[in-house]
Amino acid sequence: MSANTNPDPEQGALAFIPLEANPELMTNLIHKLGVSSALAIHDVYSLTDPDMLSFIPRPALALLLVFPVSAIYESHRMAEDNTVDEYTGTGEQQPVIWWKQTIRNACGMMGLLHAVSNGPARNLIEKGTVLDELVKKSIPLSPRERSSLLEKTPKIAAAHKEAASVGDTAAPDAQDDVDLHYVCFVKGSDGALWELDGRRKGPIKRGELEESEDMLSERALSLGILKFLEREGGDLRFSAVALAGSLD
């Protein structure tokens, strides 16, 4: 692909060890960065079976999809991105906060960052932590300035490296080409469903939700992750995890 269509960070860019989609590992990472212990990451074993979904605490504040980047996905991404300009939104008035991914193999961290920094989850970031400082400093910046700030926050990189090095499978090298990618779905401050992916040109509004609907509600799933998977032609090589817990 040409430089105009390839959204990935270039060779030589700062790189992270790819993050395993392991709920325990991810939960430890977000707690280390400053998210309250009231929230945790949970495996989503089914997107359609109510009994399986009932095991996950509600509300589900974010949903992370992990999937292989296919030719079908890339074709759809490019067609959709070609219809919009690069997002430049800043400030508290924006319904979501979004970071452009400029670190190779950091899509897992970007997914978690988008999950915990948007919607009600943001209120459960503990004051004075590295994540609290990053979010506060990032809100008034442009997405690319936010990414530069993220690159210059060594505590984030150190926590990520520690987490990515202790997964159930052998960790690949930070510079390896990895075809698995993370996309995050959250409910914005406007009540809408948003798809957040640092490889895209900006946050993508996927539809409206009722006040009572969370990320595992039937409407959110149909507008977001199920439509995403339907477009992939039934490819089953994916997994999903949810950010959930008590808001009290």
Side-chain angles (χ1 to χ4, degrees):
M1 289 186 290
S2 71
N4 290 332
T5 58
N6 187 353
D8 295 316
E10 297 178 356
Q11 289 283 353
L14 179 65
F16 281 1
I17 299 170
L19 190 66
E20 184 179 289
N22 177 318
E24 182 180 2
L25 178 156
M26 291 175 150
T27 297
N28 290 338
L29 175 55
I30 63 174
H31 289 169
K32 188 178 186 67
L33 293 176
V35 175
S36 166
S37 59
L39 295 181
I41 303 292
H42 301 265
D43 267 319
V44 179
Y45 293 111
S46 172
L47 297 166
T48 55
D49 184 337
D51 290 336
M52 298 297 286
L53 289 172
S54 70
F55 288 109
I56 301 171
R58 307 294 281 271
L61 305 181
L63 193 60
L64 287 167
L65 174 66
V66 190
F67 63 97
V69 176
S70 66
I72 295 173
Y73 170 76
E74 285 294 83
S75 176
H76 175 81
R77 177 194 61 75
M78 285 189 287
E80 195 170 42
D81 280 359
N82 284 340
T83 67
V84 297
D85 294 326
E86 187 85 14
Y87 178 76
T88 58
T90 64
E92 291 281 5
Q93 73 277 13
Q94 299 298 313
V96 290
I97 182 172
W98 176 81
W99 284 263
K100 183 74 175 177
Q101 185 181 337
T102 56
I103 303 171
R104 279 177 55 80
N105 291 332
C107 59
M109 172 59 84
M110 302 304 291
L112 287 176
L113 189 57
H114 285 134
V116 301
S117 301
N118 285 291
R122 187 188 297 179
N123 298 326
L124 292 173
I125 297 174
E126 295 174 346
K127 306 300 181 187
T129 60
V130 60
L131 187 57
D132 180 49
E133 293 298 317
L134 176 70
V135 173
K136 285 179 178 176
K137 291 178 180 177
S138 293
I139 288 172
L141 302 178
S142 71
R144 289 188 178 273
E145 289 173 328
R146 292 171 188 165
S147 300
S148 178
L149 176 64
L150 180 61
E151 290 182 12
K152 297 171 184 175
T153 306
K155 288 183 179 179
I156 297 281
H160 181 279
K161 183 177 181 180
E162 180 181 341
S165 301
V166 296
D168 291 337
T169 57
D173 186 83
Q175 293 291 348
D176 284 355
D177 289 326
V178 178
D179 70 346
L180 289 177
H181 187 58
Y182 287 73
V183 167
C184 179
F185 295 91
V186 301
K187 191 174 188 177
S189 61
D190 59 350
L193 175 69
W194 289 84
E195 180 181 326
L196 304 177
D197 178 353
R199 292 180 80 237
R200 305 299 294 267
K201 284 190 173 180
I204 306 167
K205 187 176 182 179
R206 292 303 188 193
E208 302 293 338
L209 298 175
E210 298 292 335
E211 186 176 348
S212 61
E213 293 175 317
D214 68 359
M215 290 301 95
L216 291 177
S217 66
E218 185 176 349
R219 190 200 305 255
L221 290 171
S222 65
L223 288 172
I225 196 169
L226 291 176
K227 183 173 287 187
F228 189 109
L229 295 174
E230 180 183 353
R231 193 171 62 237
E232 290 295 297
D235 191 332
L236 299 179
R237 295 173 299 157
F238 76 92
S239 60
V241 296
L243 174 70
S246 173
L247 299 182
D248 296 333

